[in-house]
Amino acid sequence: MRKFEIHPDIAKAKTLHADFYTDSKIFEESKEKIFSKTMHFLGDMSLIPEQNSLHPVTILPDFLDESLLPVRDDKNEIRCLSNV
């Protein structure tokens, strides 16, 4: 991925080059390097209201397409499993 730098002095900083927003290769790389390493909201606790319940979700459909399975187990603890 092309290195994009932002000047630490905000008065001298400029916007990222247009390639960051338009280049499909950079977009695919950013999905892996940025979005796959960050936290994402899956839903609130009402999706798994009781013990031994689960609710399959897909993070960012048509973007990351990561299938996850939030689960409330038999000890009432919440876990998240990768649905592969």
Side-chain angles (χ1 to χ4, degrees):
M1 177 185 260
R2 185 175 148 193
K3 187 169 184 173
F4 294 94
E5 294 190 29
I6 300 173
H7 198 287
D9 180 351
I10 193 69
K12 296 178 182 177
K14 297 181 180 186
T15 60
L16 293 172
H17 190 275
D19 289 351
F20 183 80
Y21 305 100
T22 60
D23 186 298
S24 61
K25 182 179 179 199
I26 292 172
F27 177 68
E28 291 302 317
E29 288 180 43
S30 69
K31 287 196 308 189
E32 180 64 32
K33 292 182 177 182
I34 299 170
F35 296 101
S36 69
K37 298 179 191 272
T38 58
M39 296 177 72
H40 299 279
F41 180 70
L42 298 180
D44 61 42
M45 307 286 276
S46 67
L47 295 175
I48 46 175
E50 54 195 44
Q51 287 180 313
N52 299 316
S53 60
L54 54 87
H55 183 81
V57 295
T58 300
I59 295 179
L60 303 174
D62 300 321
F63 184 71
L64 289 181
D65 287 320
E66 182 73 25
S67 296
L68 298 174
L69 198 59
V71 175
R72 188 180 296 264
D73 66 17
D74 58 347
K75 294 180 177 136
N76 212 31
E77 293 183 21
I78 295 177
R79 306 192 184 280
C80 187
L81 309 171
S82 180
N83 191 17
V84 293

